[in-house]
Amino acid sequence: MPRFLSAICAGLVLCATLASAVQNVKVQGANFVNNVTSNRFQIIGVACVAQVIPAWKIIITDIPSSYQPGGSDAFSATSDTDPLSNGTSCLRDAALMQQLGINTIRVYNVDPTLNHDLCASIFNAVGIYMFIDVNSPLPLQSLDPGNLVTSYSSTYLNHIFSVVEAFGPYPNTLAFISANEVMNTVATGQTAPPYLRAVTRDLKNYISNHLNRSIPVGYSAADVSQILTDSWTYLSCDINGQSSDPSRSDFFGLNSYSWCGPTSLTANYDASGYNTIISTFGNTSIPVFFSEYGCNRVEPRVFDEVPVLYGNMTSVMSGGLVYEYYEEDNNYGLVWIYDNGTAQLRNDYNALQTQYNTLDVKSLESMDSSATSVQSQKCSSSLISSSGFNTSFTLPAVPSGGQTLIDNGISNPNQGKLVSVTTTAVADTVYDANGNIIKNLAIKPLADDESNTPDGSNTTGQSSSTTAAIPSPTKKGAAGRKKIGAHGLVGLMALSFFFQF
């Protein structure tokens, strides 16, 4: 199959030889496992939705706190970017993420026609894996819960298979997320489950036919308590008791914002329902993890759920992805990003880094042999406990034209490939949460048998001694906005409009 030429991006020099590769991660029972070392892989990660703020907008008095051309809200058919298409930005973010200590990112909206080689190679070089969502908010590129029959089409399949072709060749593509929160009400628990299994089936059959390795496929669930257990049960059982059933989800992600500290850890463990999560998924036969977490109801966030998630919960949970890397209107971000490339860390970044630095990664990698040998249940209507949830395991047939795509492949796929990353220093100016310029920011390539881990670093302590002469940011109002005063405007202009207040 043809391959795109690698892009030469923003002064980064690429050569044609392949870069070193991280080791693949596979699913074994209820764990993610390093395919070479057989160590357990715990997800220590962040979710990434591309958020940028136009520099010109920060001189206006009352502006939205974020803006994202090419991000989830503004992702469009005419856009020529996505979160993994700009090598300069990826180098900056990879350096900050490596310093933060994560080993995984989740990327929601990608354009499979773009070149992602440099970004994927940069994250590969620093030992960071990628969860890739195959859907997008564009028409015919996701399942519509209100119109499942029509949206499940060969056009839709062509799109998600294009994402598989674009990202499947990268060794640090950990998994594909087949759908996100399609079951977001009790009512959708009646209609959507067979379609979710059908999409998983089609993706896994396509991967089996057209990629040179197996890549896990799974679902990211909304935290709808009435149907949560049945969603997991329905997606993880084996139809007809076949362990090789391709419609069975390889993992189950949970988007949960129930831990809203700080209170005592004991009180929060129960109040958040983490104790219920452990009992609910205690006999899981597939990996379960937080595909989003990080409540911001109480600010600043201190992330005191992190030592709990990576403590006694590891008997069941495979880690999680903090929502989210880029700051936007909902105020969940770790980092401010401006469209001129300038970035500034938020206090949430430092708080999360402090919590990650307490983790014992060697202990997290130790294998639970019983978890890897758990057998899945045979699908049966008797497994479903909530009234109204779908109990049929008869799946929709592949839509017209879809089986041809699965058998023969899509036409003219854009297949990614690793390229060598020869520039490691970050060109963009990055400030810490106190307004200090972070000096000598760069990625540190790892050996090909390593994934990134927390290293005990303190980002603020690595900054320069020079503080930008700017006023402190004001707090956001209820509408998620920040105000710029007259004195702040002078400072902004002096800094080439790099900051937002």
Side-chain angles (χ1 to χ4, degrees), residues 20-224:
S20 297
V22 298
Q23 294 167 342
N24 299 146
V25 171
K26 64 181 179 180
V27 168
Q28 188 173 344
N31 287 342
F32 290 108
V33 175
N34 183 296
N35 201 37
V36 176
T37 67
S38 294
N39 290 333
R40 185 180 185 185
F41 184 85
Q42 279 276 314
I43 299 164
I44 306 171
V46 296
C48 301
V49 183
Q51 306 290 339
V52 293
I53 305 164
W56 62 266
K57 289 194 87 174
I58 63 178
I59 67 173
I60 301 174
T61 299
D62 187 16
I63 61 171
S65 60
S66 69
Y67 178 71
Q68 54 164 3
S72 61
D73 294 338
F75 190 81
S76 70
T78 59
S79 174
D80 60 355
T81 62
D82 69 16
L84 293 173
S85 63
N86 186 307
T88 302
S89 298
C90 288
L91 186 67
R92 175 202 62 213
D93 294 340
L96 292 173
M97 291 174 181
Q98 184 178 33
Q99 199 163 260
L100 180 61
I102 68 168
N103 61 20
T104 310
I105 58 174
R106 175 184 177 182
V107 185
Y108 294 80
N109 301 315
V110 293
D111 181 345
T113 68
L114 299 178
N115 189 297
H116 305 100
D117 291 348
L118 183 53
C119 283
S121 299
I122 288 170
F123 286 112
N124 171 80
V126 298
I128 292 179
Y129 293 82
M130 304 182 296
F131 274 94
I132 302 295
D133 284 64
V134 299
N135 299 280
S136 95
L138 298 183
L140 306 179
Q141 294 187 5
S142 64
L143 281 181
D144 179 357
N147 197 359
L148 290 162
V149 174
T150 301
S151 60
Y152 178 54
S153 66
S154 60
T155 300
Y156 167 65
L157 292 182
N158 191 84
H159 169 73
I160 64 176
F161 295 161
S162 296
V163 175
V164 167
E165 291 279 10
F167 287 89
Y170 303 131
N172 57 328
T173 295
L174 192 157
F176 293 109
I177 295 180
S178 61
N180 181 69
E181 298 189 354
V182 171
M183 291 185 286
N184 53 17
T185 64
V186 173
T188 52
Q190 171 60 42
T191 56
Y195 285 89
L196 294 174
R197 286 198 70 131
V199 171
T200 298
R201 172 199 65 200
D202 299 343
L203 281 166
K204 290 168 74 171
N205 283 338
Y206 191 93
I207 290 170
S208 177
N209 288 346
H210 301 287
L211 296 187
N212 61 9
R213 69 178 175 100
S214 176
I215 299 177
V217 176
Y219 178 66
S220 177
D223 193 0
V224 181

Side-chain angles (χ1 to χ4, degrees), residues 433-482:
N434 296 321
N436 301 316
I437 297 174
I438 300 178
K439 298 174 65 177
N440 303 318
L441 184 61
I443 62 169
K444 302 175 181 63
L446 304 179
D448 60 7
D449 60 349
E450 293 182 283
S451 60
N452 193 48
T453 60
D455 63 4
S457 64
N458 181 292
T459 303
T460 302
Q462 296 179 13
S463 304
S464 73
S465 59
T466 302
T467 302
I470 55 175
S472 298
T474 59
K475 291 184 178 180
K476 288 190 175 183
R481 297 175 181 269
K482 292 186 176 182

Side-chain angles (χ1 to χ4, degrees), residues 251-285:
F251 58 82
F252 189 81
L254 172 59
N255 298 339
S256 174
Y257 297 88
S258 60
W259 184 296
C260 298
T263 61
S264 73
L265 294 184
T266 301
N268 225 340
Y269 182 71
D270 294 335
S272 66
Y274 275 31
N275 57 341
T276 303
I277 289 173
I278 292 300
S279 60
T280 297
F281 300 110
N283 65 337
T284 185
S285 59

